[in-house]
Amino acid sequence: MERVIIYDSDCGFASSLSQRIKSDISDVEIDNFTSIDELKSGLSKDDDRYIFSIIDIDKDDENFDEVVNLLSKQFIPILILTKKENISYRDEMINKYPIIDYATKDSSKNFHYIISMINHMRNSKNIEVLLVSNSEHDRKYMNDNLLRRYPFNIVEATDKLSVQRALVEHENIKIMIIDMMPEEEALQIVEEVREIEPKDSLAIMAITSIENTYLATKYLQLGANDFVVKPISVDTFYSRMNVMIETLSLFQRLQKLANMDFLTSLYNRRYFYEAGKLLYASGLRKNIKIAAAMLDIDFFKSINDTYGHGAGDIVLKEVAHIIKSSFRSSDLVARVGGEEFSIILVDAEEEKIINIFEKLRSDIEALDIDTPEGNIKVTISIGVTLDLCENLEKMIKKSDSNLYEAKQTGRNKIVLS
Ligand code: GH3
Ligand code: MG
Ligand code: MG
């Protein structure tokens, strides 16, 4: 589980902050340290689960440098807490030390901000950033002064060709920062990249060397999300990066919702066919066996008729949960209709497949589903095929006719051909 460090000698503040983080972000652990000695002995070395640290320490404190060094050596992003709001002090600190930001400790109103920073860091963790510049000096400056404060993996490119190569080789590149001279070349790269990478998969930030409205507008017109003017203010850079990261994670959430079935949280029919085609094609290419299966709950209409739709929905959710947990994460499991589920299994051996489905069938038969209308028992019928047919549609059709045969010949059974 990801971990957050709180370093504060004031236990009261640290404990209310921990509670707030835990209630807002469920899957994160908090490590509380109250002194430099505790931090030194408690911080595990080379542990990449640390995603953020919140430090209450004054610059005049004798341990300040040591605390900041310990954390930044492990690339743990640092947020400094302070009692006073002082802009010039804040600027000095941010420019001088590898810290992400600085927040006042005066009240719990900053909790919201701290939580959003933790979320930014979590979202940044799996992001690769493509840094494009033909100046080694500028790349080094960006890396050392700005980007190293984030947990990004940085990929560098120096021209159009290396940008194209990087985008093919690194599929987690979600942000491109471009600082290129002459700027005509930068504009061209932005335009070309945008043709293949839409805004929901790649955010682009342009760094422009002069305050020039024409250039800035041009970058935005060609598809950049934002621009920053040199000399780069650390504050401006961070706040704009944070907006880009937030936008990317919103896109991701929307995409997830669009692919999901609301009732069961399984994939929906649309996504099943979209992702299924890719699995099918890669199975063919790599000569990996795949299987297609159709599952249907038996006499489900009578469950609705007897117990009502609410209870029917609970049955659907429970059955979906058992189905999902019977397969590997590399398999594709979807709810494709009311009480119908489709599965594509990757790397499928015939004997194992029969066992997997037989176990699933009997697990569902054994279920006693607890609903407010009483306990309900159900069975499912399953049609499976390992025959790749001519295409995915035909393969699914074949598993569907096997399902039909299972229904015709008694239900609560598997037909494989
Ligand atoms: P068979 O064994 O032949 O599959 O019989 P069946 O009753 O399961 O088949 P049928 O296709 O006639 O009925 C499916 C029922 O599923 C009818 C429909 O009302 C119900 N249904 C579809 N979607 C939902 C849903 O989201 N929630 C609930 N509760 N019921 C649904
Ligand atoms: Mg049906
Ligand atoms: Mg049915």
Side-chain angles (χ1 to χ4, degrees):
M1 204 188 284
E2 289 167 333
R3 309 184 80 89
V4 168
I5 292 169
I6 300 178
Y7 178 94
D8 192 352
S9 52
D10 173 0
C11 297
F13 183 84
S15 103
S16 36
L17 179 59
S18 309
Q19 266 167 24
R20 177 63 191 270
I21 295 173
K22 277 193 177 152
S23 80
D24 282 26
I25 310 173
S26 57
D27 45 352
V28 75
E29 294 265 355
I30 317 271
D31 289 332
N32 280 295
F33 300 112
T34 59
S35 69
I36 181 84
D37 294 331
E38 269 183 38
L39 179 69
K40 274 201 260 184
S41 60
L43 189 71
S44 0
K45 287 251 152 44
D46 302 322
D47 191 335
D48 65 0
R49 287 172 306 165
Y50 293 119
I51 51 164
F52 200 56
S53 62
I54 301 142
I55 309 300
D56 178 19
I57 190 165
D58 198 82
K59 190 165 69 85
D60 302 325
D61 189 301
E62 55 173 346
N63 296 320
F64 183 86
D65 282 342
E66 195 168 2
V67 170
V68 171
N69 274 338
L70 270 172
L71 298 168
S72 58
K73 246 194 348 226
Q74 289 195 210
F75 301 99
I76 304 169
I78 303 170
L79 178 101
I80 303 268
L81 289 173
T82 177
K83 289 180 190 66
K84 50 186 184 280
E85 177 88 67
N86 178 332
I87 291 176
S88 63
Y89 178 54
R90 176 175 181 274
D91 285 352
E92 183 198 337
M93 298 274 288
I94 286 191
N95 287 316
K96 201 161 159 195
Y97 296 98
I99 62 176
I100 282 273
D101 209 347
Y102 191 101
T104 49
K105 198 184 171 180
D106 52 0
S107 76
S108 57
K109 73 173 184 250
N110 273 331
F111 284 5
H112 178 73
Y113 176 69
I114 293 173
I115 305 273
S116 80
M117 285 304 290
I118 296 174
N119 279 324
H120 282 319
M121 292 305 137
R122 301 181 90 191
N123 293 334
S124 319
K125 223 182 151 194
N126 299 318
I127 292 182
E128 288 191 296
V129 172
L130 178 60
L131 175 58
V132 189
S133 172
N134 47 359
S135 149
E136 197 183 335
H137 170 270
D138 287 352
R139 288 200 307 274
K140 189 167 166 20
Y141 176 82
M142 292 290 294
N143 261 318
D144 292 353
N145 294 287
L146 303 170
L147 294 172
R148 74 164 165 154
R149 300 176 204 221
Y150 280 95
F152 296 138
N153 182 23
I154 313 287
V155 178
E156 295 191 1
T158 53
D159 55 17
K160 213 186 322 186
L161 217 72
S162 52
V163 167
Q164 284 167 354
R165 202 178 322 124
L167 288 172
V168 171
E169 284 170 8
H170 299 264
E171 55 186 50
N172 283 333
I173 292 179
K174 297 272 179 266
I175 296 176
M176 176 173 102
I177 298 172
I178 182 160
D179 177 8
M180 194 90 170
M181 290 301 273
E183 299 215 32
E184 286 69 34
E185 202 176 327
L187 288 167
Q188 222 178 49
I189 293 179
V190 168
E191 185 174 16
E192 283 177 17
V193 167
R194 198 42 101 207
E195 270 168 25
I196 47 168
E197 295 277 359
K199 279 191 176 156
D200 58 358
S201 66
L202 182 83
I204 302 177
M205 184 193 282
I207 311 285
T208 121
S209 51
I210 24 168
E211 190 94 45
N212 178 327
T213 331
Y214 169 76
L215 261 180
T217 314
K218 201 79 199 151
Y219 274 117
L220 296 179
Q221 278 174 352
L222 292 177
N225 295 59
D226 209 344
F227 63 92
V228 173
V229 181
K230 280 185 188 175
I232 304 171
S233 126
V234 177
D235 259 356
T236 311
F237 182 78
Y238 284 141
S239 42
R240 296 198 171 170
M241 280 297 272
N242 287 345
V243 172
M244 293 209 308
I245 295 167
E246 204 157 34
T247 311
L248 283 168
S249 77
L250 281 176
F251 272 127
Q252 239 169 29
R253 256 175 50 201
L254 279 176
Q255 214 161 38
K256 210 169 145 188
L257 284 176
N259 294 336
M260 217 172 70
D261 163 48
F262 186 70
L263 181 71
T264 61
S265 301
L266 294 184
Y267 287 122
N268 57 23
R269 181 185 188 85
R270 196 188 57 75
Y271 183 81
F272 176 77
Y273 281 93
E274 201 179 291
K277 270 192 189 128
L278 297 177
L279 277 183
Y280 182 87
S282 97
L284 272 188
R285 204 174 52 242
K286 297 181 191 157
N287 208 11
I288 296 172
K289 283 193 183 145
I290 60 171
M294 287 289 291
L295 283 71
D296 187 292
I297 304 179
D298 298 326
F299 302 121
F300 191 64
K301 196 173 171 307
S302 80
I303 290 173
N304 274 330
D305 292 346
T306 315
Y307 301 94
H309 254 255
D313 283 358
I314 296 175
V315 171
L316 275 173
K317 278 203 244 184
E318 188 73 17
V319 168
H321 176 72
I322 302 287
I323 295 176
K324 174 79 189 159
S325 50
S326 304
F327 297 94
R328 293 177 293 196
S329 58
S330 50
D331 300 332
L332 182 61
V333 181
R335 178 183 180 216
V336 292
E339 27 74 86
E340 288 165 20
F341 302 88
S342 283
I343 300 158
I344 290 181
L345 284 97
V346 185
D347 210 358
E349 297 291 339
E350 183 161 343
E351 227 159 81
K352 276 194 205 150
I353 296 272
I354 286 276
N355 291 339
I356 293 170
F357 282 108
E358 180 46 38
K359 180 168 185 311
L360 172 62
R361 190 205 58 74
S362 67
D363 283 351
I364 287 179
E365 187 180 28
L367 272 181
D368 212 6
I369 302 165
D370 185 19
T371 79
E373 319 315 320
N375 284 18
I376 301 177
K377 292 189 78 68
V378 285
T379 57
I380 54 165
S381 298
I382 305 171
V384 191
T385 186
L386 283 142
D387 179 359
L388 286 175
C389 304
E390 282 159 55
N391 55 41
L392 180 69
E393 280 78 11
K394 292 211 167 120
M395 195 178 181
I396 290 168
K397 230 182 193 150
K398 184 158 184 186
S399 61
D400 202 28
S401 55
N402 286 343
L403 168 65
Y404 182 76
E405 193 185 320
K407 291 278 183 188
Q408 294 302 305
T409 53
R411 296 184 170 80
N412 189 22
K413 65 191 277 194
I414 303 157
V415 171
L416 184 147
S417 76

